[in-house]
Amino acid sequence: MNKKSIRDIELYGKKIFLRVDYNVQFSGDRILDDHRLRESIPTIQYLRDKGARIILCSHRGRPAGQIVEELRNDLVAKHLSSLLGTVVKACPVSIGPQAQDDTDALEPGELLLLENVRFHAEEEDNDDVFAQQLASLADIYVSDAFGTAHRAHASVVGVPKYIPGVTGLLLEREVEYLTKVTDDPQKPLGLVLGGAKVSEKLSILSFLSDRADVICVGGGIANTFLAAQGIDIGGSLAEHDRIDDAFLIMRKAAERDDLKLVLPRDVVISDPSGEIIEAVSVNRIPPEFRILDIGPETIDDFRAALAPMSTIAWNGPMGFFEREPFDVGSLAVAKILADLQNVTTVVGGGETAAAINRAGVLEDISHCSTGGGASLQLLEGRILPGLEALPDK
Ligand code: ADP
Ligand code: MG
């Protein structure tokens, strides 16, 4: 990557404003998924080893400029402390005299987590004065909040206007892997696309269909493709105003010898009451039944189509994976990716990452992104404001 990183600068004794994405959920005091915290540790350790004084900043949820008690960052600080085995102090504010005193008091290697930055409406408004107030706490801005890099908010793009900005190790890794898919990928390139809405996936489809050799489509978005084939999809969700777009992609694949589009051959359906659940051919969907997952033959098709790939990107679950047994297709795709050897596998999307975790194969995936919207934006070939805000090497 051509951006300056923490490896390129002097860090000892410097106050670092480290923007991370700790937008995590709790059930009571228990954190539900700490993937994002764990992924930020290499940067934190690097900065500590170099004797930097670390001021962490993150948002949580959508407090819309208000103080929301459940969205305070103190539980995050506590969990991070236990992961790091060292104290991470929680500051009850993000700016102002107490933030100044607490950050001034940091010794080299010490950590402080500022309060949820979205308690200030100025954060999402990308207010310059607010950005300046945040920047005044530190000497250097380090961006590691990949999950928020597609947002032009004050702590993402504003702060590095006032103090020098560099990337952290997570941001660097995210961009490195996601651009392995978009920029000159090791061919053949496969794309597995799912999720609920085809309208949200048209940009990635149109961008990657010019680069990919194989595109496997599952999930709710496949319904629109099936409908475009003239198949009766019963009571399944489909975007009927996107049938033309699906048709265009199918035509592109039909015209190009070097692009294979794999659509579901069979699907798992359920009746409205949820009592009947069965796998059927896509040509045998009774009225009112809904498609909720890809079927076993389709899983086999995807496995066979993906086997020769050198690079594979996956975004979007293959079905309504939050509910058993409609998670079978997504877990199978996770396993297919994990079992491939010498293939660069890149997974993006919040729910897709959850499926990888549920399948227990995180270790066997080359890169599972911490960002949903941001990873999609990169896979669509678009730039990220949070990256643009940082100076080149
Ligand atoms: P990601 O967060 O990984 O980018 P999306 O947000 O695009 O993924 O899509 C995830 C959602 O799509 C999940 O909530 C899942 O239940 C839903 N989904 C996928 N396939 C279907 C389907 N056939 N019917 C209903 N919902 C589906
Ligand atoms: Mg999602």
Side-chain angles (χ1 to χ4, degrees):
M1 192 161 70
N2 65 340
K3 297 290 175 187
K4 237 186 195 177
S5 100
I6 50 174
R7 279 189 272 252
D8 301 319
I9 57 167
E10 184 55 52
L11 293 163
Y12 185 80
K14 294 283 188 341
K15 284 198 286 181
I16 304 297
F17 188 96
L18 176 57
R19 180 50 160 110
V20 286
D21 187 335
Y22 289 165
N23 185 16
V24 290
Q25 290 175 353
F26 287 82
S27 166
D29 284 359
R30 193 173 57 88
I31 191 164
L32 293 180
D33 178 2
D34 65 0
H35 180 220
R36 286 181 162 174
L37 269 62
R38 290 178 185 276
E39 291 290 319
S40 75
I41 289 177
T43 298
I44 292 175
Q45 288 299 17
Y46 184 92
L47 294 171
R48 290 188 72 207
D49 290 348
K50 298 285 176 190
R53 301 149 71 197
I54 306 163
I55 305 157
L56 294 149
C57 168
S58 180
H59 72 282
R60 273 188 66 218
R62 298 178 181 275
Q66 307 287 322
I67 293 176
V68 177
E69 290 302 325
E70 309 84 80
L71 293 177
R72 284 194 180 277
N73 274 346
D74 46 350
L75 282 178
V76 181
K78 215 169 139 192
H79 190 78
L80 184 63
S81 300
S82 69
L83 287 178
L84 290 169
T86 188
V87 177
V88 180
K89 218 184 134 194
C91 179
V93 292
S94 311
I95 53 167
Q98 184 171 0
Q100 195 67 61
D101 289 349
D102 286 2
T103 52
D104 282 344
L106 287 170
E107 296 288 335
E110 285 187 348
L111 298 126
L112 175 83
L113 174 59
L114 296 173
E115 189 50 278
N116 187 342
V117 70
R118 284 196 192 163
F119 286 176
H120 297 265
E122 292 89 343
E123 163 66 359
E124 292 187 71
D125 292 344
N126 189 15
D127 182 270
D128 263 328
V129 176
F130 183 63
Q132 237 169 320
Q133 287 170 313
L134 291 172
S136 71
L137 300 174
D139 306 307
I140 294 166
Y141 175 80
V142 176
S143 174
D144 229 11
F146 178 73
T148 322
H150 59 313
R151 306 281 186 215
H153 294 168
S155 68
V156 180
V157 299
V159 179
K161 283 194 222 165
Y162 300 104
I163 50 176
V166 295
T167 69
L169 304 177
L170 174 62
L171 183 69
E172 217 174 33
R173 183 180 151 84
E174 290 273 11
V175 175
E176 180 194 324
Y177 272 95
L178 287 156
T179 52
K180 273 186 204 276
V181 177
T182 54
D183 302 354
D184 200 16
Q186 176 118 43
K187 299 271 269 171
L189 169 66
L191 171 66
V192 185
L193 207 57
K197 287 189 164 175
V198 79
S199 52
E200 288 173 3
K201 307 291 160 109
L202 284 171
S203 306
I204 181 173
L205 263 173
S206 90
F207 183 71
L208 286 184
S209 61
D210 289 333
R211 289 160 176 76
D213 300 272
V214 167
I215 301 180
C216 298
V217 178
I221 69 170
N223 300 351
T224 303
F225 282 85
L226 295 175
Q229 285 180 316
I231 288 171
D232 184 354
I233 57 169
S236 308
L237 291 178
E239 287 170 276
H240 293 281
D241 55 338
R242 300 295 178 174
I243 286 181
D244 288 351
D245 297 295
F247 193 78
L248 284 177
I249 306 238
M250 293 193 310
R251 199 172 67 189
K252 191 172 182 177
E255 284 169 359
R256 273 182 43 192
D257 290 338
D258 56 348
L259 175 62
K260 187 167 151 192
L261 183 65
V262 189
L263 294 173
R265 193 149 52 104
D266 63 341
V267 285
V268 176
I269 56 171
S270 172
D271 68 324
S273 72
E275 271 168 41
I276 309 171
I277 295 170
E278 57 187 354
V280 296
S281 151
V282 293
N283 296 309
R284 294 177 185 281
I285 302 168
E288 307 208 333
F289 274 64
R290 290 200 302 147
I291 302 173
L292 293 170
D293 198 7
I294 54 174
E297 292 173 7
T298 303
I299 293 171
D300 288 343
D301 288 350
F302 285 10
R303 184 184 295 109
L306 294 170
M309 299 297 108
S310 294
T311 308
I312 301 175
W314 177 24
N315 168 267
M318 296 292 100
F320 181 33
F321 86 108
E322 292 90 341
R323 170 124 18 116
E324 281 179 38
F326 309 115
D327 56 348
V328 170
S330 300
L331 298 183
V333 167
K335 192 88 173 54
I336 290 171
L337 264 56
D339 286 346
L340 288 168
Q341 304 293 321
N342 302 318
V343 179
T344 302
T345 46
V346 180
V347 174
E351 264 92 28
T352 321
I356 290 287
N357 275 305
R358 180 107 64 84
V361 297
L362 185 61
E363 299 299 313
D364 301 310
I365 299 294
S366 311
H367 182 67
C368 184
S369 178
T370 55
S375 67
L376 207 57
Q377 200 155 315
L378 276 187
L379 292 175
E380 290 166 354
R382 292 160 64 201
I383 53 165
L384 297 175
L387 206 56
E388 280 290 289
L390 302 174
D392 290 336
K393 258 189 189 139

